[in-house]
Structure formats: C-alpha cells, structure tokens
Amino acid sequence: MAVRPQHVHDGGIVERRLRPIYDWLDNGNNKKALQEAEKVLKKSPSLQAARALKALALFRLGKGSEAHSVLDALAEEKPSDDTTLQAMTISYRESQQLHKVCALYEAAVKAEPTSEELHSHLFMSYVRVGDYRSQQRAAMGLYKFAPKNPYYFWAVMSIVLQAKTSEDTTKRGILLALAQRMVDNFISDNKMEAEQEARLYIMILELQEKWEDILKFIESPLYSQLVPGSTAQACIPYLTKLGLWKRLNLVCKELLYENIDRWDYYLPYFDSVFQLMKQNEEDPECTVDNTAEKCHEFICQLVESMSSGRTLRGPYLARLELWKRLSVDGDPTSLLGSGLSLCVQYLRVFANKACAVPDLRPYLPMIPQKEREENCRDFLTCLGFDENSEPETTDDIQRHVSCLTAWRLTAAPLSADEALSLATKLRDHYMRCLKLGLVTATITEFCAPDAYGILAAHHYFYAAVMQQSSAPIVEALCLLELVLHHSPANFHAKLLLVKFYHLLGGALAADSVYGRLEVKHIQLLSLGWLHGARLAPACAATRALQLLADTRGFHTHHSKDSVEHLTYAYKYGTFEKLVELGNWGNRLEACGWAASAARDRALLSLLAGPPAPLHQPTRLPAQPTDNRDLNVIVNFEPPQFEDIHLKSRTFDQEMSYLKLKDALVSAIALCIELADNRSVEEKKDHYEQLNVCVDAFSQAMDKCKQMYGEKERICISAPFPSRIIAFVNSPVPYRELYCTTLRLVGELALGRAAPVHSACAAAQGLLPNAQAQLATELHFGPDAAWNMRDCLEHLSNYLEFIGIITFLLGVCNELTAPASTKKSKKKINQSPDELKTSELLNNLNRTVQSSILYLEGVLDDWPKYEFGDLDQKLSNLTIDTKYQSPVESKLKAGREDMINDVRYILKRKSKYLKTLQ
C-alpha cells in the first residue's frame, strides 16, 4: 500500500502548522485562515488536512465553487486521517451536502477497515441523512470487530426507526419482530448492561402493543438490576393498559405512602378507584380502595401523615380531584363537603405560594356559577384580607395577591366603572409597595407586588373593551412600563405591553418591548401570533420583513441545526430522545405559522422589500400543525368566559387565510413564468395553471366571506381577530381587483388583445371605486387611538394590493416591451392592437399612481395619538423624578416611523411606475 503524502510529516509538526488555521477559523477570521492555509501548502502542497481547512475557509468566504473543487479533488484521494475528514465534514455540513459525508467515510472505511473510529463516523454520517437501513448495516459492521453493546443497540434502534417510518404494516411487523429477537438474544446471553437498553426493549414491545410482555420484563430481576428502584412506577402505564385495576390501585397507594406529593401517582390511583367502583366487585381482604369513602379515607391518612411544619399540596389537591370526579355523576357534598369550601380551604393553606391559584383554576368551574358568584368574597376574605388591605411583608403580599386573584376568577363580571375602580385600587397597592421598598425584584427574578400591577392592567383592559375606549389602555401601559422598569425580568408585563401597544396600533412601540422578551428561535413559531403576525397589518412593513425572514430562516434550517442532536442521542444511548426529536422535527416541518410567514414575506417584499426573485411556493403541509402557545398570557376572566373552541377556530381562520395567500403567491409566480421569451404555444400550460389558481382564489374568497362574516371578541390572552375577517368582509373589491389584474397578465402573455383590453378597462374602473370604499373603512371616530388598529389593517390590505399591482405592471411591461427593443431604444412599428394595449396599460398605470397620491394624502391626515389628561395619570405613578414614562414617546415615535416608512415605500412605487410609461 502506497504511503499517503501527509504521513511523511511528523504528527507534532503538522499539528503546529495547522493550529493557526484552526484558531483563525474559530475566531471567524476566514480570510486570515485562508492565508495561513496557503502558507502551509507552499511548504507542503500535498498536505490533505491543510487543503481541507483551506476549502472550509473558502466556503465561509462565499467562494463555494472554489471550495468544492478543492473538496472534490480531496475526495478523489480517499483520505482517511481524522483531521482531514472532520474538516471536510464541516464544509459539507455547512453547504447542506451531508450525503457526500457518507461517501467520504465509506471510502475511508474501505481504506482502513479495522478503524473503529472511522466506522463510528460512517454510522453517524448515515444518521445525519436519516438513512436507517445503512445505519443498521454500518452498526452491525462495527459490532462485528468491536463487539460493544452500544454498537449493537445502534443497529436495533435503526431497525426500530425503519419500522416507525414504514407505511407497510406487514413490513413494520417483521422489522419490530426482528428488533425484539435481537434484544431477546442479548437477554438470553445475559449481555444487557444499561438502563437505556432496557428502555429500548420496552419501546419495541410498546410498538407491538405487547403489554403483558412489558410487565413481565419490568418485574424481572434483570430490569431491577438495570434500573434499580423503579419497578413499581414503571408498571403503572401497563397495568392501566391491561385494565389490572386492583394491582394498579395497590401499587399507587404504596408509592403515594412514600411520595405523598407526586401528582403523577394520584391520577392513575383515581383512575383505578373509579374503574373499581364501576366493577362493583367484593374485596374480601379490604386492601383496595374501590369506593369513594375508602378513597377519601386514604387521602385523609396522607394528610395526617405529613410531618408538622411541612405542608405539601398533593393530598389537598387530591381531595379537589376526587370532588371533581365524583361531581360528574352525582353530588359528593355529603362525603367531602362543598367544592367551594374545599377550594377556599386550599387557598387558605397555600396562598403564600404563587402556584396556589393556578392549582385551583381547573377546579373552579366545577362549582355552580351561581354558588361561585354568591360566595366569591370567601376567597378574598378567607385570610382576613379584603380589596383595601395593605399587607407589609412579602409573604402577606403574596397571600393578598392570591386571594384577590381567586376572588376575581370566581366573581361575576364587573361593569366598566367597577373594573376601573378596582384597577385604580390595585395600581395604588403597587405604588404603595414601591414607596415602601417592598418591590424587591432583581435582574433575573420578579416579585409578589408586581402581581398588583399585572392584575390592574387586566382590569384596565376589561374596562377599555366595554367602553371601546383607549384611555384605560394608556393607563395600563403607563403602569406596566413602571412595573417593567423596576422588575426587568417580569415577562408577564412584557407580554401585556406587546399586546396593549398592538391594541392601539402601535406596532413599533410593541417591537421595542418584544426585543426585551429575548425570544428564542423555537418561540418565533410558538409566539409568532403575538407580534410577528401583527406587524404587517399595522403597516410596519420593514420590521415585519425582518421578523418574517428570521422565522422563515429558522424553519428552513432547523433540521440542519438539530441534526447533531441525533448523533448525540446515539452517542449517549438516549434512544427515546431519537423518537422525540423525530416527532419534534415533523411538527416543526408542518408548522402552519411558518408556512404563513413564508407567504406573507413573499407578498410583503413586493411592497416593501428589495427586489427578490419570487418562486413557486413549496407545497403547503397536508396537515398543518398549530404550534401557537395561547396560554402564555394569563387570563383572569371567570370560567364562563372560557372558549374551548378558540384555539381550533382561530387556527382554521389562519389556515384559510394562508390558502388565500398561497393562491396569490402561486399566481404571481406563474405570471413571472409567463413573462419569459418562450413561444405562445409553450406558455399555454402555465396560462392554464394561472387560470386554475385565480379561479380557486376567487371561489375561496366567496366561501370565506360566508364563513367568516362575524366579528371575533377581543380577548386579552387570545390572538387578535384573524386578518381574513377584515380582508374578505372589506367593501373594497379585493377579489375582483386581484383576479382582474392576474388575468390581465395571463391574457397579455398569450397575446390575446380583446381580453387584455377588457381586463385593463375593468381594472382601471375598479380602482376609483376601491379608493372610495377604502375611505369608508378608514373611519377613526372620536377615539382615534382605539380604532387605529382596525384602520391600519384596512390600510395595509390596500397597500399590499398596491405593491402587487405595481409589480404586475412591471411584468406587463416585460411582455409588451421585448428586451432587445429596450436596449436599442428604437421605435418599432406596432399594430393598432398593440398601440391600444400600451395606451390602456399606461392609463391603468396612471390610475395606480393616482391611488398612491390618494394614500399619501391619507397619511398626511393620519390622526395623532391624543393623551388628554396623561399628565394627571402619570402624576399618580411618580415616586422618582428621574423616571419618565416612555408610553407617549413610544407611541408617537412609532406612528411617525410608520408613516415615514409607508411614505417612502409609496414614493418608490410611484417612481417605479413612472419608469414604465
């Protein structure tokens, strides 16, 4: 075998020469890294590691073609040293060519077939591309000459993943049987060594629904040896599956005696009790709890068993759970007393904990509404407080806050005046705590008095919605900004500020707070509804494009960024994580909001973005997933206001709007395809597709108008009403505007003069009417700030159309003025039809320009935020002369920035349209 060139050099010398290249690459100075690599290669031209690092530096400098020519040359040499291979792997990973890593290690393994490390890297390369069959083969090859348990179980897991992704039930069954047999052989040979190996075996049996076999394995000495001390709790899910309620009951009781605060043991215990009650069998030994009385007695024993001074929530919550379950089919009052009394007792014991009211929330709806409202003050006064109490210690403040919150959750809804009065009291409580130095928040933690401000803000919101007035929201904003100033970690205040600024149409003011939330990448999807989705309808187009690009970027690259998590899961043997990561990846891939963000960004870039190629969008997910977190803003409305269909209903609305946007993007992409230099005959296919797309859009608009005619209630913790409602119910004839303009391009591409002239005239006739209808929508009323959000949404819909029609007029220009003519600028003879087409297009162009002039006039008259007696409101919030409330300046500056941004966009559009004439 020929000696490889790099082996000529001493290893230590090579390492010293390469070290500076690594350092520059790690520091991000790729130019220096490239220079250093060139320097090394002058002395040692054949050094593979230096060439691989050079390729990496070239790639990071944006010189992809040069990098790949170096890598291809290296790949031909079939390197097998780790340094070279790792550098090449990084380059391939960053250029999304992971399949080339597989080929790289396949060649390396052939060159050095006994290298355990190379075989391991080959396996991981298959993991990165999701090639489960090759994974299995590589793992078994590795196990043959390095018989270690992890390698064997890598192969088993690869078979399991093949089974999970197979749609053929027969093949799935065969694969799972093979995986089980492989582990059975290991068990027979007494080779099992680790807990994760046992968990993988259970996973295989679960996928085959062999519940009895799982139970037998868990109760075997081997499982106790591999996972000591966990046999009892591991049995619980499988006893439930098999309906072995007596055994389940005894197991849970035994576990609860030892762990009386484990809620995950209480729930299966209750399941077993109620199943045994249904069976109504005799229990001669009286060991199982098969009646409500025995269950209650057991819970009381647990309460009594608590050591003095250590009060745990589990048994107290268990009584509430028992009451709730018994109340489904009967009246548990004779056994447990009233549900209201149990809830009040729970609050009395645990009010000093911030989790007390969240614990109670699931049980408050079980109290009949009339009883709940008549006795609501019992929650407020159970510890001697009322709404006017002034506690002076942190513990008492937390108790007071818990009592206030529970009272508001159970009381009848307040009138607007009552809500304002309570909000003022709560604000005063917060100010008193501030003056007394009881606000003890740190940079990383918030404190109990903050809750006064949060609860006050909620009641300002309730009053504002009832009065349809912005004044209470301004007060809430001022208070929340003060809370955030003294408690910078309080995310409740930040979330409410974002919500309330958007409520008044202040998207850029909301953005200033959103930045302080420090939203992580995954939260771009789960919290997109809160801020990202509201920027475009608030005419904050430039910022919207940035955030939508971030969302799209995360969605596009999440699989690349998370691929190493899969390799780590194999390295550490956490096989369950592989399934979780797979499910998580699939959920992200089908994310509805990510698909919406991509379409919104494509359309918004036609209005406000730099010119970018618009391509046919990727196919919408067959079943979009709803990854929105709608529980992030806590709600203090009573149970009767809970809307159990809110999440599914709003998601359906968003998906309908997504389909409309998808049809528009698809139609515009087809228009671009039709603007090329192909013959008319070659364009017919795209022309037909365009007509199908436009028809689908038209029919969907009509259908959506019927489905979404009703206004949605504005709720503090829910998304604002979907954009589809304002869009399809607008008096502006968007359906006709879009369909006519898109068909115009299609007819022009096929050179059909009569339909083109008809479409031009129709579009030109629609625009003045649309302008007049938009004027009726931009009705601010006496309280401009309250109606600002709605008016901005109407304006944004029209602006989006202006962006699209301007772009399509540019496409029409491409079709009517061939490139060769434009370059020579010579006049050519045109037929009468062509002359008329040019004239009509110019007329339409001028009409669009007049619409832009109208919009500029609208912006000139756009109302300002008027704050009235804001100075008086702020005086109630002043204890520090250095602190200046930023609310007024944020809203006013945001309005100015928004208007300047839109004005700049319109000027660019107008300038562009003039170049087309």
Side-chain angles (χ1 to χ4, degrees), residues 123 126-127 130-139 158 161 570:
F123 174 82
Y126 291 133
V127 169
D131 186 347
Y132 303 135
R133 183 78 187 86
S134 296
Q135 280 179 216
Q136 177 194 345
R137 192 175 63 248
S158 300
L161 291 171
Y570 278 106

Side-chain angles (χ1 to χ4, degrees), residues 651-853:
F651 188 64
D652 287 344
Q653 291 168 358
E654 292 301 335
M655 292 306 97
S656 296
Y657 190 61
L658 167 60
K659 286 171 186 171
L660 287 177
K661 287 296 182 80
D662 185 64
L664 270 181
V665 175
S666 299
I668 294 166
L670 286 165
C671 287
I672 295 167
E673 297 269 8
L674 287 167
D676 62 20
N677 294 323
R678 287 174 301 158
S679 67
V680 168
E681 199 60 40
E682 291 173 308
K683 291 182 180 181
K684 279 187 177 175
D685 184 42
H686 278 127
Y687 171 79
E688 294 299 332
Q689 289 179 40
L690 176 63
N691 282 336
V692 169
C693 215
V694 173
D695 287 339
F697 174 78
S698 179
Q699 290 162 15
M701 283 287 284
D702 286 340
K703 189 177 177 183
C704 289
K705 191 166 187 176
Q706 295 167 11
M707 290 172 64
Y708 307 123
E710 292 181 18
K711 281 194 171 182
E712 283 279 345
R713 169 175 170 260
I714 293 179
C715 173
I716 199 167
S717 58
F720 285 110
S722 172
R723 291 185 69 185
I724 198 169
I725 297 171
F727 184 58
V728 300
N729 293 300
S730 172
V732 178
Y734 287 115
R735 182 174 72 89
E736 292 80 4
L737 285 166
Y738 280 117
C739 293
T740 306
T741 314
L742 290 164
R743 289 194 199 281
L744 165 62
V745 179
E747 300 299 343
L748 195 60
L750 263 62
R752 296 177 176 173
V756 168
H757 299 164
S758 173
C760 269
Q764 192 180 345
L766 283 167
L767 275 164
N769 175 44
Q771 201 170 289
Q773 295 296 347
L774 177 64
T776 65
E777 285 191 307
L778 300 180
H779 176 66
F780 290 92
D783 189 346
W786 180 255
N787 295 302
M788 189 80 76
R789 181 182 59 84
D790 286 338
C791 290
L792 282 168
E793 188 162 343
H794 297 316
L795 178 62
S796 71
N797 286 337
Y798 197 76
L799 281 168
E800 188 167 84
F801 170 70
I802 291 295
I804 290 170
I805 194 173
T806 301
F807 179 79
L808 291 178
L809 282 170
V811 175
C812 291
N813 188 60
E814 292 288 322
L815 287 162
T816 55
S820 57
T821 310
K822 286 182 204 167
K823 283 176 188 173
S824 64
K825 295 186 180 179
K826 290 179 183 176
K827 288 190 177 179
I828 59 168
N829 292 327
Q830 290 182 300
S831 68
D833 280 343
E834 288 172 337
L835 287 168
K836 188 174 181 184
T837 298
S838 294
E839 183 187 344
L840 288 169
L841 283 171
N842 283 335
N843 290 342
L844 179 56
N845 185 322
R846 282 190 285 272
T847 308
V848 174
Q849 287 185 57
S850 70
S851 262
I852 289 174
L853 279 172

Side-chain angles (χ1 to χ4, degrees), residues 202-323:
I202 291 171
M203 186 199 300
I204 294 165
L205 295 173
E206 274 183 348
L207 290 167
Q208 298 175 90
E209 298 186 3
K210 294 184 175 181
W211 314 123
E212 290 179 359
D213 289 353
I214 296 173
L215 210 52
K216 198 180 295 180
F217 175 64
I218 290 171
E219 291 169 341
S220 69
L222 176 60
Y223 184 84
S224 300
Q225 179 188 330
L226 295 173
V227 195
S230 68
T231 299
Q233 58 263 42
C235 286
I236 289 174
Y238 309 107
L239 292 171
T240 305
K241 291 279 187 186
L242 291 166
L244 300 174
W245 304 113
K246 287 185 179 179
R247 281 185 63 189
L248 178 63
N249 189 272
L250 293 170
V251 166
C252 291
K253 283 177 70 175
E254 192 65 37
L255 287 167
L256 283 167
Y257 276 128
E258 297 168 9
N259 307 273
I260 62 175
D261 207 31
R262 285 285 296 267
W263 193 242
D264 55 335
Y265 296 158
Y266 281 104
L267 293 177
Y269 166 71
F270 283 121
D271 291 340
S272 69
V273 170
F274 280 81
Q275 288 294 335
L276 290 168
M277 284 165 64
K278 283 181 190 174
Q279 292 173 4
N280 199 23
E281 292 178 5
E282 290 293 322
D283 177 30
E285 297 177 11
C286 296
T287 52
V288 295
D289 294 346
N290 55 3
T291 65
E293 289 75 15
K294 286 183 180 179
C295 180
H296 183 230
E297 186 182 339
F298 172 67
I299 293 168
C300 291
Q301 287 174 10
L302 293 179
V303 173
E304 290 164 9
S305 70
M306 280 190 282
S307 56
S308 58
R310 187 165 176 262
T311 309
L312 299 172
R313 292 148 54 216
Y316 288 88
L317 275 175
R319 285 198 296 184
L320 288 168
E321 183 68 22
L322 178 59
W323 204 102

Side-chain angles (χ1 to χ4, degrees), residues 630-649:
L630 298 191
N631 298 316
V632 69
I633 297 179
V634 181
N635 198 325
F636 296 112
E637 288 184 320
Q640 64 265 31
F641 282 100
E642 185 184 355
D643 183 351
I644 57 171
H645 302 296
L646 173 76
K647 191 167 194 218
S648 59
R649 186 177 67 253

Side-chain angles (χ1 to χ4, degrees), residues 348-361:
R348 192 181 293 123
V349 176
F350 296 106
N352 64 319
K353 297 179 183 291
C355 60
V357 176
D359 283 348
L360 277 178
R361 287 194 79 145

